Amino acid sequence: MAEGIFVIGAGGHAKVIIGLLKALGKPIAGVFDDDPTKKGQSLLGVPVLGPVESAREYPGLKAVIGIGNNRIRKRIAECFRDVNWVRLIHPSAWVDPSAQVGEGSVVFAGTVVQPHAKLGRHVVVNTGATVDHDCFLDDYAQVTPGVHLAGGVVLEEGVMMGTGSVAIPLVRVGAWTTVGAGAVVTRDLPSHVTAVGIPAKVIKHHC
């Protein structure tokens, strides 16, 4: 089996994953992506080996999903249950020792994760975001660059917090809800909606 960590996905999010792996000094074995035009190319000097399905040729591989779309990240994680999903924390991030970071989750540069925060599986805490004390980010949730979550915020499965959005203390955002860029969440939001504005208001319901 090839040594090193594999990255699934060869888009922009994967570039940041590769940068993080390099910052940690971790060997990178290769990249998988379903775009046939990318096979044989390289991403930041890392070879693109073929489609995602070809990862099955490497039993027991260590990997991280470099795809920003929360639903696709969940689908891949569920399809490849025998993969050793690695958790990654950038050396410039501050993660309190009492915080928990689940398998496959990624904490990028310049972020802060405060005491007793808990990140589930395949969560993304993106560049410059802050997750304060006692927050809970369920599986596949994502806070994008510049998001700030105050203490005790709960993001249920698959929530997407748009760039620069904010949540005040103790609010809960329902599963697979999207909060628009720059929005301020001042009250609980239901599942499967899109909310925007200050304060954030639901503008769309979706499945």
Side-chain angles (χ1 to χ4, degrees), residues 182-202:
V184 178
V185 181
T186 60
R187 65 179 72 180
D188 292 355
L189 293 174
S191 299
H192 302 288
V193 301
T194 296
V196 301
I198 304 174
K201 296 181 179 179
V202 174

Side-chain angles (χ1 to χ4, degrees), residues 33-72:
D33 194 274
D34 286 339
D35 183 346
T37 67
K38 294 181 178 179
K39 183 177 180 180
Q41 304 296 314
S42 67
L43 187 67
L44 297 179
V46 180
V48 180
L49 303 174
V52 173
E53 188 63 26
S54 62
R56 299 189 190 279
E57 300 171 11
Y58 301 83
L61 84 169
K62 296 179 179 179
V64 61
I65 303 174
I67 296 173
N69 184 293
N70 295 348
R71 291 188 182 277
I72 295 176

Side-chain angles (χ1 to χ4, degrees), residues 11-22:
H13 191 71
K15 291 179 181 178
V16 188
I17 293 282
I18 290 170
L20 169 51
L21 287 166
K22 290 181 176 180

Side-chain angles (χ1 to χ4, degrees), residues 48-136:
V48 180
L49 303 174
V52 173
E53 188 63 26
S54 62
R56 299 189 190 279
E57 300 171 11
Y58 301 83
L61 84 169
K62 296 179 179 179
V64 61
I65 303 174
I67 296 173
N69 184 293
N70 295 348
R71 291 188 182 277
I72 295 176
R73 215 163 51 254
K74 179 178 182 179
R75 186 171 73 239
I76 291 172
E78 291 182 343
C79 286
F80 292 87
R81 295 185 181 274
D82 58 344
V83 168
N84 296 311
W85 299 113
V86 298
R87 57 180 62 81
L88 300 175
I89 299 172
H90 196 280
S92 72
W94 164 252
V95 177
D96 187 85
S98 67
Q100 299 178 43
V101 180
E103 67 174 18
S105 292
V106 181
V107 179
F108 284 115
T111 59
V112 177
V113 180
Q114 294 284 25
H116 293 123
K118 182 178 180 181
L119 313 183
R121 297 176 302 118
H122 302 282
V123 169
V124 176
V125 180
N126 224 312
T127 310
T130 61
V131 177
D132 222 295
H133 64 89
D134 300 297
C135 286
F136 174 53

Side-chain angles (χ1 to χ4, degrees), residues 69-71 142 144 155-163 165 173-181 183 185 189-197 200-207:
N69 184 293
N70 295 348
R71 291 188 182 277
Q142 180 172 179
T144 56
L155 305 184
E156 295 183 3
E157 183 180 272
V159 167
M160 172 70 80
M161 296 288 296
T163 303
S165 59
V173 181
W176 299 102
T177 279
T178 297
V179 175
V185 181
L189 293 174
S191 299
H192 302 288
V193 301
T194 296
V196 301
K201 296 181 179 179
V202 174
I203 61 167
K204 182 179 179 182
H205 292 76
H206 48 84
C207 297

